[in-house]
Amino acid sequence: MSNKGKYKIPKSHALWPILWRTVVFLGIIAMIFAVLNILAGYVRDFRSEADTTYVRNLADIIDHGTEAESEEALNALSSDGHNYCIIDLYGEVVEHSGSISVSGYNDKKGEFYSGDLKDILDEAGVDDDIHKIVLDAGSNSTFLLDDYNTKIDAFSEVYDMARNNPGVLFGSSSDAVFSFPYWIAAPMSESSQILMVKSILTVKVKDYTYLAAGIIIAVIIAFFVFILMIVSVIMNLSANSKLRRWLYRDNIIKGHNWLWYAVTTQDILCKRKNAHKTYAVVDLVFVRYRNFVLCHSVKEAEALLRQVVLVIFKKLKKGELIAHSTAAALPLFLEVKDEDDARARLQDIISTLEAIPCGHRLAFKAGVYLVIPAQEKVALNQKHYIPDIDLLYNNACAASLSLSEVADSGIAFFDSNLVDEEKWIDTVTNRQQAAVNNEEFLVYYQPKYDPRTNEHMGTEALIRWQTPDMGLVPPYKFIPIFEDNGFITHIDDYMLTHVARNQARWLHEGRKCVPISCNVSRAHFGTENLAEYICNLVDREGCPRSLIEIELTESAFFDDENAMITTINRLKYYGFLVSMDDFGTGYSSLNSLKDMPLDILKLDAGFFRGSEDNPRTRIVVSEALALAKSLNMKTVAEGVEDKSTVDFLAQEGCDMIQGFYYAKPMPQAEYENTVIPVPGQQVQAPEAEPAPAAEPAQSEPEE
Ligand code: C2E
Ligand code: MG
Ligand code: MG
């Protein structure tokens, strides 16, 4: 389905339904008149029947009677004042009384004839069609010979037709007058002549009264039917517009809903005159709306939402839109100058909304996608821009989702990196299980050294993803995704298993085995009996528990403190070392230290970044080291890259250093060869040369 078709609501048109109903109405009227015309013909024939019989009787007398009888008949005619004539087979007038001139119309020649009957017939020629012959019977006395079907080749045919259809062939004029002259033709078989007599056709008023009444009733009925049809069209239109109003209505905000928003924005974006304008498609979210509902009531929350809409509505310019889609989402459509203008306007709206007095701290997030129709058209390679409002709004939503989860107001604009990020998340999620199955995750090892003796004291296991198509992927690219989607627990298991397996082997090979720390994510603390679970994993590989250290990140300490303390105690009870990773990055670290019976404190790399000469940093670091010491904890400084920091930390009594100064995280083979070689092998002195600044781009094979 095209984007345009998706939100196409059929429009109700008034013109066509009225037009076709009018045509039907006129057709009905035409049919009524045709029927009435036929009825009029019957009336005419009915009224002329007596005359026709009379003339036929006369013709019979003239034809078959004695000469005296026929003369008497003709005399009777002339003495009665009738115009008459007798014509022979060739159109010759044998006898007549009064005027017998004729006029005729030749369709083929498009000419009108007038004159003597015989002349007219001669001139028309035997081959011509004479469709209408008008016999002129004197002043105002005309009637038509209606013959639309028959081609008259010779007068004999006229004669035949007259004989076969006496009084019908020579019909009356189509003019609807109540009394008019006409000719009656009666063939005489004996003499092969035709007697034609002029008569006056009189149609009585009452004959037409019925017709007129019929016409009036029929027209009135047709008119009412027509009016009914028009009323039905109007009712249809109004029902449609009512339906449309309901279709577009949102009952919570008593305004418009998403469908209306989609249809209207689509219409605006499609218009040529708007091609170069800049529009902001905005997803405005009422932050923690559900929380407001819980703290108050649905009714109050909806009333507040209506107030919010009203406030925004007042801030909108002509042609700008607001609607309500899901519970807390209000799609806006603004016409703006540029990003700065959009930001300023939304900031103004949000500030006004935050100030609504409701006894609750209100916050609103706005995700914005800026659309310039002409540019979208080019980007989509379309001839006419067909906006996909779902996609545009989705972009705005993606922008608002990119804002932090903190319940605070904010504005974010969509940028294409968001799409790349989402695609990456999708790729990682789709491939995570296969990557575990195919052992694509590698364990890298970064040793920790005592800065005073340079002795190798411990190691941290760090994950890398060796993909077949994208090379070596560092953990920051996928660990946060696994933390979000929960797969991190599988990763932690994977790492613990591999590290325990290797430790067991190295021990067996007589290599120097120091405790190796594995990062355990906070998500793992949802696992019931986590300590026993880890015990099982490690024991299964035959690794002494004392050679495994569990690193917990500081953020994990916020979840469930009691559960955390219990788990740490049990881990320690089972013989594991437990450390707090990244100490110093969270704001409640000291509080955590107070209750957590930890073995090791790992100072975050942030302490040592670009601040070697900062006396305040030195004070904080030495105090943190002293604090750990007094709490009976060993200390590890992470991210140390230079000698002066190593010296400083050695002087302050830091137990271990894990940093590029000594070594970068390295593949297993390198670790085995250089850090824990089999006794008798050459070992590379760690302090001899600082490690190169850049990490190897590609890992070596693990085994
Ligand atoms: P982390 O656990 O704090 O690991 C220390 C990080 O600091 C490592 O980054 C290490 O390469 C880096 N580092 C150590 N010394 C230096 C230095 O001198 N300079 C600099 N610039 N960096 C140094 P890496 O390996 O990229 O790991 C990043 C984070 O990813 C880890 O931080 C950890 O939170 C997470 N991670 C890594 N492997 C795993 C894993 O197997 N499981 C879990 N849950 N998280 C892991
Ligand atoms: Mg760590
Ligand atoms: Mg760390």
Side-chain angles (χ1 to χ4, degrees), residues 40 75 124 217 224 262 271 288 303 308 349 355 378 407 411 422 502 511 534 564 567 600 635 662 669:
N75 283 343
I217 290 169
F224 274 110
K271 289 207 172 96
R288 289 167 62 78
V308 164
I349 289 175
V378 173
I411 300 169
E422 288 304 316
N502 282 337
R511 297 173 194 261
I534 292 176
M564 179 75 92
T567 306
I600 300 157
T635 47
Y662 284 112

PDB file of all heavy atoms in Angstrom, residues 40 75 124 217 224 262 271 288 303 308 349 355 378 407 411 422 502 511 534 564 567 600 635 662 669:
ATOM      1  N   ALA A  40     -51.367  10.119 -26.710  1.00  0.00           N
ATOM      2  CA  ALA A  40     -51.983  11.190 -27.507  1.00  0.00           C
ATOM      3  C   ALA A  40     -52.330  10.669 -28.898  1.00  0.00           C
ATOM      4  O   ALA A  40     -53.377  11.010 -29.477  1.00  0.00           O
ATOM      5  CB  ALA A  40     -51.044  12.378 -27.598  1.00  0.00           C
ATOM      6  N   ASN A  75     -70.712  14.907 -55.103  1.00  0.00           N
ATOM      7  CA  ASN A  75     -71.491  16.142 -54.929  1.00  0.00           C
ATOM      8  C   ASN A  75     -71.759  16.380 -53.450  1.00  0.00           C
ATOM      9  O   ASN A  75     -71.726  17.519 -52.980  1.00  0.00           O
ATOM     10  CB  ASN A  75     -72.821  16.051 -55.688  1.00  0.00           C
ATOM     11  CG  ASN A  75     -72.600  16.260 -57.191  1.00  0.00           C
ATOM     12  OD1 ASN A  75     -71.546  16.774 -57.606  1.00  0.00           O
ATOM     13  ND2 ASN A  75     -73.555  15.826 -58.012  1.00  0.00           N
ATOM     14  N   ALA A 124     -39.399  15.031 -56.731  1.00  0.00           N
ATOM     15  CA  ALA A 124     -38.696  14.212 -55.735  1.00  0.00           C
ATOM     16  C   ALA A 124     -38.058  12.999 -56.391  1.00  0.00           C
ATOM     17  O   ALA A 124     -36.999  12.547 -55.971  1.00  0.00           O
ATOM     18  CB  ALA A 124     -39.667  13.751 -54.665  1.00  0.00           C
ATOM     19  N   ILE A 217     -49.411  14.564 -12.645  1.00  0.00           N
ATOM     20  CA  ILE A 217     -49.153  13.599 -11.563  1.00  0.00           C
ATOM     21  C   ILE A 217     -47.763  12.971 -11.736  1.00  0.00           C
ATOM     22  O   ILE A 217     -46.970  12.898 -10.789  1.00  0.00           O
ATOM     23  CB  ILE A 217     -50.249  12.516 -11.519  1.00  0.00           C
ATOM     24  CG1 ILE A 217     -51.548  13.152 -11.024  1.00  0.00           C
ATOM     25  CG2 ILE A 217     -49.843  11.363 -10.593  1.00  0.00           C
ATOM     26  CD1 ILE A 217     -52.764  12.278 -11.171  1.00  0.00           C
ATOM     27  N   PHE A 224     -40.896  14.686  -6.781  1.00  0.00           N
ATOM     28  CA  PHE A 224     -40.708  14.263  -5.390  1.00  0.00           C
ATOM     29  C   PHE A 224     -39.602  13.228  -5.268  1.00  0.00           C
ATOM     30  O   PHE A 224     -38.813  13.257  -4.329  1.00  0.00           O
ATOM     31  CB  PHE A 224     -42.022  13.757  -4.797  1.00  0.00           C
ATOM     32  CG  PHE A 224     -42.838  14.878  -4.225  1.00  0.00           C
ATOM     33  CD1 PHE A 224     -44.006  15.298  -4.828  1.00  0.00           C
ATOM     34  CD2 PHE A 224     -42.399  15.555  -3.077  1.00  0.00           C
ATOM     35  CE1 PHE A 224     -44.745  16.368  -4.317  1.00  0.00           C
ATOM     36  CE2 PHE A 224     -43.128  16.610  -2.558  1.00  0.00           C
ATOM     37  CZ  PHE A 224     -44.302  17.022  -3.180  1.00  0.00           C
ATOM     38  N   ALA A 262      -2.383  12.257  11.263  1.00  0.00           N
ATOM     39  CA  ALA A 262      -1.704  11.631  10.118  1.00  0.00           C
ATOM     40  C   ALA A 262      -2.275  12.160   8.801  1.00  0.00           C
ATOM     41  O   ALA A 262      -1.525  12.548   7.898  1.00  0.00           O
ATOM     42  CB  ALA A 262      -1.860  10.117  10.197  1.00  0.00           C
ATOM     43  N   LYS A 271       1.352  19.348  -0.308  1.00  0.00           N
ATOM     44  CA  LYS A 271       1.034  20.537  -1.115  1.00  0.00           C
ATOM     45  C   LYS A 271       2.298  21.168  -1.676  1.00  0.00           C
ATOM     46  O   LYS A 271       3.275  21.377  -0.969  1.00  0.00           O
ATOM     47  CB  LYS A 271       0.272  21.550  -0.260  1.00  0.00           C
ATOM     48  CG  LYS A 271      -1.126  21.091   0.061  1.00  0.00           C
ATOM     49  CD  LYS A 271      -2.063  22.269   0.291  1.00  0.00           C
ATOM     50  CE  LYS A 271      -3.484  21.766   0.405  1.00  0.00           C
ATOM     51  NZ  LYS A 271      -3.927  21.572   1.767  1.00  0.00           N
ATOM     52  N   ARG A 288       6.441  10.422  32.962  1.00  0.00           N
ATOM     53  CA  ARG A 288       5.850   9.789  34.155  1.00  0.00           C
ATOM     54  C   ARG A 288       4.356  10.100  34.312  1.00  0.00           C
ATOM     55  O   ARG A 288       3.858  10.367  35.399  1.00  0.00           O
ATOM     56  CB  ARG A 288       6.636  10.196  35.413  1.00  0.00           C
ATOM     57  CG  ARG A 288       8.015   9.541  35.458  1.00  0.00           C
ATOM     58  CD  ARG A 288       8.928  10.144  36.492  1.00  0.00           C
ATOM     59  NE  ARG A 288       8.440   9.994  37.849  1.00  0.00           N
ATOM     60  CZ  ARG A 288       8.524   8.875  38.566  1.00  0.00           C
ATOM     61  NH1 ARG A 288       9.102   7.822  38.040  1.00  0.00           N
ATOM     62  NH2 ARG A 288       8.060   8.815  39.781  1.00  0.00           N
ATOM     63  N   ALA A 303      -7.794  15.218  33.055  1.00  0.00           N
ATOM     64  CA  ALA A 303      -8.096  16.653  33.117  1.00  0.00           C
ATOM     65  C   ALA A 303      -6.807  17.450  32.925  1.00  0.00           C
ATOM     66  O   ALA A 303      -6.776  18.463  32.212  1.00  0.00           O
ATOM     67  CB  ALA A 303      -8.741  16.991  34.449  1.00  0.00           C
ATOM     68  N   VAL A 308      -2.994  20.566  29.515  1.00  0.00           N
ATOM     69  CA  VAL A 308      -1.728  20.605  28.783  1.00  0.00           C
ATOM     70  C   VAL A 308      -1.992  20.918  27.306  1.00  0.00           C
ATOM     71  O   VAL A 308      -1.354  21.785  26.703  1.00  0.00           O
ATOM     72  CB  VAL A 308      -0.993  19.244  28.923  1.00  0.00           C
ATOM     73  CG1 VAL A 308       0.104  19.096  27.887  1.00  0.00           C
ATOM     74  CG2 VAL A 308      -0.418  19.116  30.318  1.00  0.00           C
ATOM     75  N   ILE A 349       7.195  26.133  25.066  1.00  0.00           N
ATOM     76  CA  ILE A 349       6.014  25.319  25.375  1.00  0.00           C
ATOM     77  C   ILE A 349       6.262  24.499  26.647  1.00  0.00           C
ATOM     78  O   ILE A 349       5.448  24.498  27.577  1.00  0.00           O
ATOM     79  CB  ILE A 349       5.672  24.383  24.179  1.00  0.00           C
ATOM     80  CG1 ILE A 349       5.117  25.211  23.011  1.00  0.00           C
ATOM     81  CG2 ILE A 349       4.680  23.306  24.589  1.00  0.00           C
ATOM     82  CD1 ILE A 349       4.858  24.429  21.738  1.00  0.00           C
ATOM     83  N   ALA A 355       5.131  24.821  34.367  1.00  0.00           N
ATOM     84  CA  ALA A 355       4.646  25.770  35.382  1.00  0.00           C
ATOM     85  C   ALA A 355       3.165  25.570  35.720  1.00  0.00           C
ATOM     86  O   ALA A 355       2.624  26.294  36.545  1.00  0.00           O
ATOM     87  CB  ALA A 355       4.880  27.194  34.876  1.00  0.00           C
ATOM     88  N   VAL A 378      13.627  14.630  -2.792  1.00  0.00           N
ATOM     89  CA  VAL A 378      14.896  14.316  -3.470  1.00  0.00           C
ATOM     90  C   VAL A 378      15.525  13.073  -2.835  1.00  0.00           C
ATOM     91  O   VAL A 378      15.951  12.150  -3.527  1.00  0.00           O
ATOM     92  CB  VAL A 378      15.853  15.521  -3.395  1.00  0.00           C
ATOM     93  CG1 VAL A 378      17.223  15.157  -3.933  1.00  0.00           C
ATOM     94  CG2 VAL A 378      15.264  16.702  -4.158  1.00  0.00           C
ATOM     95  N   ALA A 407      13.719  11.375  34.808  1.00  0.00           N
ATOM     96  CA  ALA A 407      12.423  12.033  34.654  1.00  0.00           C
ATOM     97  C   ALA A 407      12.582  13.536  34.603  1.00  0.00           C
ATOM     98  O   ALA A 407      12.179  14.253  35.504  1.00  0.00           O
ATOM     99  CB  ALA A 407      11.512  11.628  35.793  1.00  0.00           C
ATOM    100  N   ILE A 411      14.751  18.125  25.060  1.00  0.00           N
ATOM    101  CA  ILE A 411      14.397  18.197  23.634  1.00  0.00           C
ATOM    102  C   ILE A 411      15.516  17.510  22.872  1.00  0.00           C
ATOM    103  O   ILE A 411      16.697  17.762  23.121  1.00  0.00           O
ATOM    104  CB  ILE A 411      14.295  19.667  23.164  1.00  0.00           C
ATOM    105  CG1 ILE A 411      13.222  20.409  23.969  1.00  0.00           C
ATOM    106  CG2 ILE A 411      13.975  19.744  21.673  1.00  0.00           C
ATOM    107  CD1 ILE A 411      13.223  21.911  23.783  1.00  0.00           C
ATOM    108  N   GLU A 422      20.239   2.028  16.014  1.00  0.00           N
ATOM    109  CA  GLU A 422      19.148   1.049  16.125  1.00  0.00           C
ATOM    110  C   GLU A 422      19.449  -0.185  15.280  1.00  0.00           C
ATOM    111  O   GLU A 422      19.170  -1.310  15.679  1.00  0.00           O
ATOM    112  CB  GLU A 422      17.811   1.668  15.685  1.00  0.00           C
ATOM    113  CG  GLU A 422      17.251   2.686  16.663  1.00  0.00           C
ATOM    114  CD  GLU A 422      17.073   2.127  18.074  1.00  0.00           C
ATOM    115  OE1 GLU A 422      16.570   0.998  18.219  1.00  0.00           O
ATOM    116  OE2 GLU A 422      17.469   2.810  19.033  1.00  0.00           O
ATOM    117  N   ASN A 502      40.441 -22.386  31.647  1.00  0.00           N
ATOM    118  CA  ASN A 502      41.840 -22.065  31.365  1.00  0.00           C
ATOM    119  C   ASN A 502      42.695 -22.096  32.625  1.00  0.00           C
ATOM    120  O   ASN A 502      43.816 -22.622  32.613  1.00  0.00           O
ATOM    121  CB  ASN A 502      41.956 -20.691  30.699  1.00  0.00           C
ATOM    122  CG  ASN A 502      41.591 -20.768  29.226  1.00  0.00           C
ATOM    123  OD1 ASN A 502      41.672 -21.851  28.633  1.00  0.00           O
ATOM    124  ND2 ASN A 502      41.195 -19.656  28.649  1.00  0.00           N
ATOM    125  N   ARG A 511      51.873 -23.455  35.134  1.00  0.00           N
ATOM    126  CA  ARG A 511      52.091 -22.016  34.930  1.00  0.00           C
ATOM    127  C   ARG A 511      51.746 -21.263  36.205  1.00  0.00           C
ATOM    128  O   ARG A 511      51.031 -21.791  37.075  1.00  0.00           O
ATOM    129  CB  ARG A 511      51.209 -21.513  33.790  1.00  0.00           C
ATOM    130  CG  ARG A 511      51.527 -22.130  32.446  1.00  0.00           C
ATOM    131  CD  ARG A 511      50.476 -21.671  31.437  1.00  0.00           C
ATOM    132  NE  ARG A 511      50.514 -22.447  30.217  1.00  0.00           N
ATOM    133  CZ  ARG A 511      51.131 -22.043  29.105  1.00  0.00           C
ATOM    134  NH1 ARG A 511      51.778 -20.904  29.067  1.00  0.00           N
ATOM    135  NH2 ARG A 511      51.101 -22.806  28.030  1.00  0.00           N
ATOM    136  N   ILE A 534      27.456 -19.604  40.542  1.00  0.00           N
ATOM    137  CA  ILE A 534      28.832 -19.355  40.106  1.00  0.00           C
ATOM    138  C   ILE A 534      29.747 -20.494  40.578  1.00  0.00           C
ATOM    139  O   ILE A 534      30.619 -20.964  39.843  1.00  0.00           O
ATOM    140  CB  ILE A 534      29.321 -17.981  40.619  1.00  0.00           C
ATOM    141  CG1 ILE A 534      28.540 -16.857  39.900  1.00  0.00           C
ATOM    142  CG2 ILE A 534      30.829 -17.807  40.399  1.00  0.00           C
ATOM    143  CD1 ILE A 534      28.855 -15.460  40.368  1.00  0.00           C
ATOM    144  N   MET A 564      22.489  -8.086  47.772  1.00  0.00           N
ATOM    145  CA  MET A 564      23.886  -7.920  47.363  1.00  0.00           C
ATOM    146  C   MET A 564      24.829  -8.354  48.496  1.00  0.00           C
ATOM    147  O   MET A 564      25.780  -9.105  48.272  1.00  0.00           O
ATOM    148  CB  MET A 564      24.087  -6.435  47.015  1.00  0.00           C
ATOM    149  CG  MET A 564      25.450  -6.080  46.592  1.00  0.00           C
ATOM    150  SD  MET A 564      25.752  -6.656  44.945  1.00  0.00           S
ATOM    151  CE  MET A 564      25.285  -5.263  44.031  1.00  0.00           C
ATOM    152  N   THR A 567      24.831 -12.097  48.853  1.00  0.00           N
ATOM    153  CA  THR A 567      25.555 -12.766  47.765  1.00  0.00           C
ATOM    154  C   THR A 567      27.055 -12.618  47.946  1.00  0.00           C
ATOM    155  O   THR A 567      27.820 -13.587  47.793  1.00  0.00           O
ATOM    156  CB  THR A 567      25.119 -12.195  46.391  1.00  0.00           C
ATOM    157  OG1 THR A 567      23.714 -12.281  46.308  1.00  0.00           O
ATOM    158  CG2 THR A 567      25.752 -12.953  45.250  1.00  0.00           C
ATOM    159  N   ILE A 600      38.480  -6.330  47.352  1.00  0.00           N
ATOM    160  CA  ILE A 600      39.313  -5.450  46.525  1.00  0.00           C
ATOM    161  C   ILE A 600      38.510  -4.251  46.049  1.00  0.00           C
ATOM    162  O   ILE A 600      37.344  -4.384  45.666  1.00  0.00           O
ATOM    163  CB  ILE A 600      39.858  -6.235  45.297  1.00  0.00           C
ATOM    164  CG1 ILE A 600      40.708  -7.415  45.793  1.00  0.00           C
ATOM    165  CG2 ILE A 600      40.652  -5.343  44.355  1.00  0.00           C
ATOM    166  CD1 ILE A 600      40.829  -8.535  44.802  1.00  0.00           C
ATOM    167  N   THR A 635      43.770  -2.787  46.903  1.00  0.00           N
ATOM    168  CA  THR A 635      43.382  -1.769  45.915  1.00  0.00           C
ATOM    169  C   THR A 635      44.021  -2.055  44.550  1.00  0.00           C
ATOM    170  O   THR A 635      45.147  -2.545  44.462  1.00  0.00           O
ATOM    171  CB  THR A 635      43.825  -0.358  46.379  1.00  0.00           C
ATOM    172  OG1 THR A 635      45.180  -0.464  46.823  1.00  0.00           O
ATOM    173  CG2 THR A 635      42.942   0.161  47.488  1.00  0.00           C
ATOM    174  N   TYR A 662      51.619  -1.028  31.859  1.00  0.00           N
ATOM    175  CA  TYR A 662      52.189  -2.377  31.958  1.00  0.00           C
ATOM    176  C   TYR A 662      51.813  -3.243  30.762  1.00  0.00           C
ATOM    177  O   TYR A 662      52.674  -3.813  30.118  1.00  0.00           O
ATOM    178  CB  TYR A 662      51.711  -3.060  33.246  1.00  0.00           C
ATOM    179  CG  TYR A 662      52.410  -2.540  34.477  1.00  0.00           C
ATOM    180  CD1 TYR A 662      51.733  -1.796  35.429  1.00  0.00           C
ATOM    181  CD2 TYR A 662      53.764  -2.806  34.674  1.00  0.00           C
ATOM    182  CE1 TYR A 662      52.381  -1.311  36.552  1.00  0.00           C
ATOM    183  CE2 TYR A 662      54.416  -2.322  35.803  1.00  0.00           C
ATOM    184  CZ  TYR A 662      53.724  -1.578  36.737  1.00  0.00           C
ATOM    185  OH  TYR A 662      54.362  -1.116  37.842  1.00  0.00           O
ATOM    186  N   ALA A 669      46.664 -16.468  23.709  1.00  0.00           N
ATOM    187  CA  ALA A 669      47.959 -17.051  23.343  1.00  0.00           C
ATOM    188  C   ALA A 669      49.099 -16.144  23.790  1.00  0.00           C
ATOM    189  O   ALA A 669      50.109 -16.604  24.351  1.00  0.00           O
ATOM    190  CB  ALA A 669      48.009 -17.271  21.837  1.00  0.00           C
TER     191      ALA A 669
END
